[in-house]
Amino acid sequence: MRKIVFNGKEFLRKTKRGVQRYAYELIIDIDKYLEGYDAELIVPYINENIPKFKNIKVKAYGGWLPYKGWQYLGYQYYVWKEKALGICLSADIAPLFYSGIVAIHDMRFNREKDEYKTFKEFLINRYKLYTCYLAAKNAEHLITVSEYQKNEIIKYYGIDKEKISVIYSACDHLRYIDLDENKFKIKYKDILNKDFYFFLGGREKNKNIKWVIEVAKRNKNSLFVMAGPSLDAFNLEDKDASIDNIDNLIHVGFITDEEIAFFMKHCKAFIFPSIYEGFGLPPLEALYFGAKVLCSNASCLPEIYKNYVAYFDPYNYDVNLDKLLESKVDDPKSIFDIYSFEIGAKSLYKLIIDHLNNLNEVKDGEI
């Protein structure tokens, strides 16, 4: 039977954002279904961040290659050499030249292809476009994280819809967080003295940090706490936006998962003004910790969050936050029956077996 080879590069990272977390958790959960299969996790080197698997063998290969290019050279060569079914679930979007199952999380670089400001940005954009195009065209099957993104892939690449499967993201991993609230109540006592809105995200244009800044300016009596990368080198698209001289906005920088959980548990509401997402994981994490969520109504977000959150227009800075908080929403507990890595792993397993056996459907009772 054909060998299964997972791209394990994301397992080497100590910290994981949404895309890396997706690959990591799905592979961990699928391990229990692979008894009797020849399955490997290929990495350029082995370190302490790689967990112990029951059925997936971990193998180091190609460590002499440049780390950033490993997935395009070492990983793909190994898959080709072994005549294996390659599985790549992260943003590395291999295979470029050899077929397999690959995840494409969003089409951001296609949407922004004419919005570059410098020659360097132009080169990065075209590189991302080319690698994504090759992966989409050469893969045996594509995975993406929402129906919205499935339609985006079809629109940009003309891929047959039968070649694309949706496997949603999830936040099951949060149950392992051991939160010491007393420690953070002391560290952040000045913040806790006032009700605050919490934002977590990168500074990419699609994250729409400018909305947080502009809404903070218009709501002087409310406190806004932002977490994420430094804004000293603010993204070029929003050069005019600045957090300087905004007394009711605090940027706490990169924080731990434990601190994120703390802020989500204690905030007045979690705000998510993104204008484009593949899935948009932070609101799900906020709901897990019991936060109210005020969410953009753009891209895939209404599909993912249905009536579990209150929505706003991410281009409207004059939003009434108090009125939004009064919006009637569904009990968030039921959303976790929809999104879980356990469900995702079962879907991925069926997809893999389908390709290994060249069948249209997995026989009933295999799981």
Side-chain angles (χ1 to χ4, degrees), residues 320-331:
N320 187 324
L321 296 176
D322 290 331
K323 186 175 181 180
L324 268 180
L325 285 172
E326 295 174 358
S327 301
K328 186 177 180 180
V329 297
D330 291 339
D331 185 343

Side-chain angles (χ1 to χ4, degrees), residues 154-171:
I154 293 170
K155 179 177 76 172
Y156 284 109
Y157 295 141
I159 304 294
D160 187 330
K161 66 179 181 180
E162 299 301 322
K163 188 183 174 181
I164 310 171
S165 297
V166 174
I167 298 180
Y168 291 113
S169 190
C171 64

Side-chain angles (χ1 to χ4, degrees), residues 203-204 209 229-239 241:
R203 59 173 181 249
E204 298 89 351
I209 293 176
S230 169
L231 301 184
D232 293 339
F234 201 80
N235 46 313
L236 294 174
E237 293 85 353
D238 286 337
K239 256 185 175 178

